[in-house]
Amino acid sequence: MKVFKFGGASVNSVERIKNLAAILQHYPHEKLLIVISAMGKTTNALEKVTEAFYAGKKEDALQLFEQVKQQHLSTAKYLLVTHYLACEAQLRDFFTEVEWLLHDKPVRDYDYYYDQVVCAGELLSTAIVSAYLNEAGIFNQWMDVRDIFRTDDDFRDANIDWTFTQTAVSNIVVPALQQHRIVLTQGFIGATDENESTTLGREGSDYSAAVFANMLDAESQTIWKDVESVMNADPKKFPEAQPIAELNYNEVIEMAYYGAQVIHPKTIKPLQNKGIPLYVKCFLDPSLAGTVIHNKPVHNLPPVIVLKEKQVMLKLTSKDFSFVGEHHVGQLYSQFEKLHLKPNLTQNGAISFVCVLDDWAEKVEKLAFEASSIFDVELMKGLSLLTVRHYTKEVFEKLTEGKIILLRQQTPETIQLLLQ
Ligand code: ASP
Ligand code: MG
């Protein structure tokens, strides 16, 4: 069996959903577990609903949610004839779940409410797509993934209880796949042992699909995207970006680590652990080859370029000319942990320590403030961090032309430059 994941852009209109059905027609005999995201920008819209609710603006929250409702109802109406009423009833159950909550006053953490509201996006989209496929003769079993994916209660960043979830996959999903050719469910969401909904972090559906692939011992996972394949750079920033036909897990995990927005970084481990290949394919043109990611060595990769903008450099210098040793660095790292900050680059000198971070102003200021008790602190904003794997002299020269290099770190494989 195979695992397919379709992202929000692949289901954001009636035409796109019909296109999804057309793609599935190419796989008439495969057993498929299909994971689908919320439609288009629904997750963002539901975030706004939660914000309004938590700010005590109940009427605004209800009104914003009404827009989400109408969008889904009208999509369902366009797509469905015989299955409309049953689907509408299912949608209304999900609406009620959210509205019920929106009528309350917030008494718990923001993140708790976020998950209870935001999870509706995937439930609504999968209900509609499942009904449409059934009506079109592509029979499938819809499943509420919250009955399968058990997580802890770290809302908005929940961690999967691997043992419980594996048992649920074996007891519920495996038999369902024996009975039905296709099982269709949600990515990104799960539930605690108290039946509270949880989410796994933005863009987490790739990861959900990988967890299913791992637990079902799938022969492959395919992520259907609106790009032709994985590219060696972001084509929006580098027009000369070129497609990469073949990659390995190691390369992808490095790319994700340096900030390439290819695939959700957590996706790779469950696949790598079982040697399951990952295909990235274009839902706009399935005839394109796309990219395959596997465990084997890949040679002759082009330079892989990752540019992170809006970076800040924090330069910490010891106040009394004492060395910056384990003790200082240890203290700094516990601050990183406390503030959920991840330095993108660090460099230790005799009496100084430099770190480069995403510019989350509030957190960076807190960090600078805490550090100022032991260090003199200098802060520089508006920088970019350029990482090139498999760099060549030509690429290096081209990318740094006319730029001031503030910091450079280099291994035989990877070069990182902080640019002004
Ligand atoms: N719908 C969620 C998001 O937009 C999860 C996903 O699409 O992966 O972040
Ligand atoms: Mg998405």
Side-chain angles (χ1 to χ4, degrees), residues 150-164:
R150 167 70 58 84
T151 71
D152 62 10
D153 61 358
D154 191 358
F155 296 107
R156 287 184 77 177
D157 193 19
N159 302 291
I160 292 174
D161 174 338
W162 207 266
T163 315
F164 182 98

Side-chain angles (χ1 to χ4, degrees), residues 328-342:
H328 293 118
V329 178
Q331 276 182 323
L332 272 174
Y333 270 85
S334 54
Q335 283 301 327
F336 291 152
E337 199 185 349
K338 215 163 105 193
L339 295 166
H340 289 283
L341 273 175
K342 196 177 78 64

